């Protein structure tokens, strides 16, 4: 089983979240998945991607790319998940942040990611301080 990270360089968190959604959907489509649950921890990114009129001009090209992916012949559901409920994604984000600029493939078993995937599957509880 493989995984990937992509270091985008300097950008906003929202841009990185939207880019991750696009890359994830592209990967799912290429691998033949036709029913996808896209979970994101950024309500800001979800709102931008879900808006019918795009007030955020700086993201309009990314939103257009995202919409083109959604218009393919498949079922994609988008939902919010708290960061604490998706430690595997948090692990990947940190790995991407410390990688060189660009796209990087790696094996899940070699990366330590397998531990965090199991952690998420088991639903290990973590207190959230607000």
């Amino acid at each position: 089983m493989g995984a990937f990270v992509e270091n985008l360089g300097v950008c906003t968190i929202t841009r990185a979240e939207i880019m991750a959604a696009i890359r994830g959907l592209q990967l799912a489509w290429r691998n033949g998945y036709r029913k996808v649950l896209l979970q994101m921890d950024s309500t800001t990114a979800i709102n931008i991607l879900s808006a019918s009129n795009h007030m955020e001009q700086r993201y309009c090209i990314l939103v257009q790319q995202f919409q083109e992916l959604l218009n393919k012949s498949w079922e994609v559901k988008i939902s919010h998940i708290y960061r604490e409920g998706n430690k595997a994604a948090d692990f990947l984000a940190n790995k991407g942040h410390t990688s060189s600029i660009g796209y990087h493939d790696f094996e899940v078993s070699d990366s330590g990611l397998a531990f965090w995937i199991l952690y998420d599957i088991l639903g290990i509880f973590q207190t959230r301080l607000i």
Side-chain angles (χ1 to χ4, degrees), residues 86-101:
N86 197 351
K87 297 298 252 180
D90 195 43
F91 174 85
L92 288 170
N94 289 329
K95 192 166 187 67
H97 181 70
T98 58
S99 299
S100 60
I101 301 263

Side-chain angles (χ1 to χ4, degrees), residues 71-99:
N71 290 334
K72 291 182 178 284
S73 181
W74 62 343
E75 181 182 340
V76 178
K77 293 187 179 184
I78 305 167
S79 70
H80 177 262
I81 185 171
Y82 289 104
R83 183 173 11 130
E84 293 82 0
N86 197 351
K87 297 298 252 180
D90 195 43
F91 174 85
L92 288 170
N94 289 329
K95 192 166 187 67
H97 181 70
T98 58
S99 299

Side-chain angles (χ1 to χ4, degrees), residues 17-31:
E17 291 277 352
I18 292 171
M19 291 289 295
I22 290 168
R23 296 288 194 267
L25 289 180
Q26 289 170 336
L27 182 64
W29 180 262
R30 277 194 309 269
N31 285 301

Side-chain angles (χ1 to χ4, degrees), residues 23-64:
R23 296 288 194 267
L25 289 180
Q26 289 170 336
L27 182 64
W29 180 262
R30 277 194 309 269
N31 285 301
Y33 296 101
R34 297 301 179 254
K35 284 192 172 191
V36 175
L37 173 60
L38 174 61
Q39 295 180 319
M40 301 177 71
D41 64 12
S42 170
T43 54
T44 302
I46 291 170
N47 290 338
I48 289 169
L49 292 172
S50 302
S52 57
N53 60 351
H54 306 294
M55 301 290 287
E56 292 283 344
Q57 291 294 323
R58 61 187 160 180
Y59 302 118
C60 66
I61 292 173
L62 294 176
V63 171
Q64 182 181 9

Side-chain angles (χ1 to χ4, degrees), residues 111-124:
S111 68
L113 178 59
F115 171 81
W116 294 113
I117 291 172
L118 181 61
Y119 186 96
D120 289 340
I121 289 170
L122 294 175
I124 296 173

